[in-house]
Amino acid sequence: MKKLINDPADVVKEALQGVAAAHGDRLKVLTDPNVIVRADAPIEGKVGLVSGGGSGHEPMHGGFVGPGMLDAACPGEVFTSPTPDQMLEATKAVNGGAGVLHIVKNYTGDVLNFEMAADLARAEDIEVEAVVIDDDVAVQDSLYTAGRRGVGTTVLAEKICGAAAEQRRSLTDVADLCRKVNANGRSMGMALTSCTVPAAGKPTFELGPNEMEIGIGIHGEPGRERKEVVPVHEIVSMLATPIVEDLPFGSGDKVLAFVNGMGGTPLIELYIVYYELHRFLSDRGIEISRNLIGPYITSLEMQGCSITLLKLDDELTALWDAPVNTPGLRWGA
Amino acid sequence: MKKLINDPADVVKEALQGVAAAHGDRLKVLTDPNVIVRADAPIEGKVGLVSGGGSGHEPMHGGFVGPGMLDAACPGEVFTSPTPDQMLEATKAVNGGAGVLHIVKNYTGDVLNFEMAADLARAEDIEVEAVVIDDDVAVQDSLYTAGRRGVGTTVLAEKICGAAAEQRRSLTDVADLCRKVNANGRSMGMALTSCTVPAAGKPTFELGPNEMEIGIGIHGEPGRERKEVVPVHEIVSMLATPIVEDLPFGSGDKVLAFVNGMGGTPLIELYIVYYELHRFLSDRGIEISRNLIGPYITSLEMQGCSITLLKLDDELTALWDAPVNTPGLRWGA
Amino acid sequence: MSVSYSQVTDWVSAFAVAVAENKEYLTELDSAIGDADHGINMNRGMQAVVGKLGASTADDQTDIGALLKTVGMTLVSTVGGAGGPLYGTLFLQMGASAAGKPELSPQDWADALAAGVAGVQKRGKAERGDKTMLDALMPAVDKLQDALASGASFDDAVQASATAAQEGMTATIPLVAHKGRASYLGERSANHQDPGATSSWLLLRAAADTFSGNGAD
Amino acid sequence: MSVSYSQVTDWVSAFAVAVAENKEYLTELDSAIGDADHGINMNRGMQAVVGKLGASTADDQTDIGALLKTVGMTLVSTVGGAGGPLYGTLFLQMGASAAGKPELSPQDWADALAAGVAGVQKRGKAERGDKTMLDALMPAVDKLQDALASGASFDDAVQASATAAQEGMTATIPLVAHKGRASYLGERSANHQDPGATSSWLLLRAAADTFSGNGAD
Ligand SMILES: Nc1ncnc2c1ncn2[C@@H]1O[C@H](COP(=O)(O)OP(=O)(O)O)[C@@H](O)[C@H]1O
Ligand SMILES: Nc1ncnc2c1ncn2[C@@H]1O[C@H](COP(=O)(O)OP(=O)(O)O)[C@@H](O)[C@H]1O
Ligand SMILES: [Mg+2]
Ligand SMILES: [Mg+2]
Ligand SMILES: [Mg+2]
Ligand SMILES: [Mg+2]
């Protein structure tokens, strides 16, 4: 394992010290337990937005803390959901009296830890709502499973709900909006190479020199199937077809197209993916009216990409366009 | 070789089509020859800023075209300097009557092609100045060599000169400013893994499972030496020591610290690098007053990082802070 | 025959040792069907527990319930993932069941374990056969209760309980996961042993080793 | 004995074939001390040249200078890197030297090549011994001039010139590069053959093959 780290056990701690050193002017980094908070939190009368999850997906979530997006993020160990005390601390730190929304990706660990934290926060008289994001079409939903995973739509939900919270919308409103984003967003990813959890010291999985994994999870969990690598236009079709069929997205729809890099993917390749996605959607009469291209929800050094489509209406579009000022996503400010 | 591409020969073309599809509202993408231009170019009375180089370093340079930064970028084939006809076309497209500055990284190919282009542009009565960036301390300068390579300072020069050009400073002024940035910027990089040029189909170089290359070039050219991988605090010292000693940077200096990812490096690692760099500089009384952390001048999927330090004064700081609105770098707009 | 406060401490310590020894193995199992962190997570948590218990200077070692709650709270705040809330809940509910008790009778032990496992089931909403830690824990509880009901010695009962956990663990191999990260694998999760069931077997084996033979008095 | 318009075309085509055949080899050499693109670049350029010459319907094949200029311009606008301007300049300067000529005498050929190589030197500001294409080109020009001056046949002169290029190419192996990307390697650039010198040898060998023996008339 070759990484730019010191001791694997210190990865999260030292990265947070880096965040504190780099962005101390606008973010507070709490330790014991670890929380990244807007420097100006809590904001009186504003719904507080809290998310969190395992580390290794940067810039998500810590890089999305700031005006117009999250109020706080709870970084867990690498690929491990954070603990309830982190979420409780974050919830208290951002509670400006209008309640706190927990944006939770649908993984058992995230859900369970956020549940415990919400119970603890409510016991301290903080109003908490939780919305679970489950947008990954790779693994089909069923009564008997933990449900779909939460992936790319999380980034979009954090941005859009962040904008709504800045408008001082109520907790119920912002939570409903979050559910609406989740209901209109679909994602699927793929990997060309594995990632390596620092504490594990070796690749999570092995892919042959000509293999790819379609439907990969952001922790390197395997997905739908392992295949021979094919030209990217076929890969885009393998990802976009189930996405489009699932919602479904159809002719006349306007979408936000999010082409995400898994962490080790050259940006030039993501633009080729975007080119193919643009063609794929044009052929079906689906119009891309907004886009986001880059590594925003990553899996350490994994090479690969994911595609997220979010059906847009005027409300979502306006909230997407609203100013945001975070280390990871910034415009209009 | 596993990549998200179709035919290796079409990588640059299709990525540019992706750029056109994604950013057509604010960028024009010319083909034959390939140039990325601000949609509103040429701007009457503003010095035009043109840069360019091989592709594979994205977002540099194409991602830096827009208000407050470049007016046009010329993308060559992967890791291959673009051709004079591209630069001539770009120069003509951005010439608003105040002349055009070519920002050239110091590689023989870039220098020669930009020289030919400048000759051609001058023959068409366009005033052209060229500034060559040569900030890489990895390879020492000497009378007998082609000189130092141009790396991270290029990004900073494009941002800072872009801001100056927006203020309608003269070509001489902006060119002098560019030389000032170059004179005050120093960089050095390292690699944990190789990159693979799509048309070559295999890694440019091989590093053992425990080896790293110190002083790597952004095209995978070897640098100073090959070593056993060590903890990142030692790596930062190996990169920052020659940088600090070269200018030299000393106690009381304020700097912009730029921690750059080579394309395949997880962001969490770059924050650890930043943490170590912050400690390294603090120990020497050097104050980081601005920072930039992320993959901005990349080498395809190479894992590794580079550090750039730029000595700041009030002028450079103000120009750095000025609004910029490009796909790759954006604030205040 | 009963379980003393210090034996409960010994059990927790023995589990910590077993987790440390099997850290790579548990992570390996998790990388096949999950996200390669179960051993790392459990070890981080159990090391924190060991630190906590070692630092505790309470002379008053009379409340096994309080001890188990401390273990549970420590796991909840250091493990993360699914394992943290689930093992945390297991110990918290065992602690509630054993609240105030200076020692546990065989039936107290069985009741506490049953309460803990019921807590895991309630928190995680999984069923037996979902390929989770419950597949080791539930047979272990059943076997323990049955053995005690049929008059077996405590020694034999805890041994039988550990064996049932082991069988339950092994039985996860052919199963298709329906809960946790492995569930996303569908059919591909079969032919792999569940990491959580494996750590649960270590937990029950540690109990058998600590409480039986010259371990128990 | 002279070089006709169609022989010049043949020479250019033969060079294109040689570059295509040695594309991987040239790139391999460049990856050892440069950026792994020399073969790819030169091949892209020479394929464009072949396309251009094939498409040209000029009946009027009287101006070898114009032909060489077209080759040069095509290389300048398709190769990029250092190779583009350098090989482009080589052909452009050869074209200037041969301007208006329908055929080239041996001395015309030698003068054209000398002009091209002088152009390369002026553009790239490299010296002999800097481990560049000049280390193949300059000995080739010298040998060609010397051979003709000492009364050798054109056949022998072009063969001698190619041999000198080959020797110059091989002599780049121990050299430490002072120009181009390889210069950043310092001492580590020694023990590797320069890719540009290698493509230049292919150029001169193509000339020898095309102009000598039954090639030249
Ligand atoms: N809903 C659930 N109920 C009971 N046990 C579960 C549940 N989900 C997961 N588990 C157990 O948790 C184990 C994984 O724990 P761990 O790797 O620490 O957490 P994570 O899955 O968050 O990475 C699984 O092997 C399984 O035994
Ligand atoms: N200044 C120079 N003068 C002459 N030849 C040079 C010079 N710099 C580089 N070269 C030649 O160019 C070759 C490399 O060409 P190429 O790989 O196409 O371009 P780049 O170095 O830009 O990638 C080198 O092997 C060397 O022979
Ligand atoms: Mg986990
Ligand atoms: Mg090159
Ligand atoms: Mg796990
Ligand atoms: Mg080269």
Side-chain angles (χ1 to χ4, degrees), chain A residues 46 124 149 217 233 253-254:
Chain A
K46 188 182 97 63
E124 300 196 21
R149 303 178 291 214
H233 69 90
D253 281 345
K254 293 184 180 199

Side-chain angles (χ1 to χ4, degrees), chain B residues 4 12 14 41 43 126 171 187-189 206 251 253 293:
Chain B
L4 298 171
V12 173
E14 292 179 353
I43 296 161
I126 303 177
L171 178 57
S187 302
M188 189 153 149
E206 293 289 353
S251 184
D253 280 346
I293 304 168

Side-chain angles (χ1 to χ4, degrees), chain D residues 199-215:
Chain D
S199 55
S200 287
W201 165 61
L202 295 177
L203 183 76
L204 275 303
R205 195 189 60 178
D209 289 353
T210 312
F211 301 153
S212 74
N214 40 13

Side-chain angles (χ1 to χ4, degrees), chain A residues 108, chain C residues 30 35 37-38 41 81-83 86 124 126 132-133 180-181 194-196:
Chain A
T108 311
Chain C
D30 196 25
D35 58 348
D37 62 1
H38 187 60
N41 292 347
L86 292 170
T132 71
M133 51 197 278
R181 291 211 207 276
D194 181 63

Side-chain angles (χ1 to χ4, degrees), chain A residues 210-273:
Chain A
N210 292 314
E211 276 182 334
M212 62 179 175
E213 175 84 29
I214 294 288
I216 192 82
I218 55 169
H219 312 91
E221 314 94 299
R224 282 195 172 187
E225 47 179 348
R226 207 160 266 207
K227 300 197 121 177
E228 283 278 289
V229 176
V230 292
V232 66
H233 69 90
E234 292 180 45
I235 293 174
V236 166
S237 165
M238 287 176 197
L239 300 181
T241 303
I243 289 174
V244 164
E245 287 174 355
D246 191 89
L247 190 67
F249 295 86
S251 184
D253 281 345
K254 293 184 180 199
V255 300
L256 188 164
F258 170 25
V259 171
N260 177 61
M262 289 301 197
T265 319
L267 190 56
I268 193 169
E269 295 180 23
L270 295 184
Y271 273 94
I272 301 179
V273 171

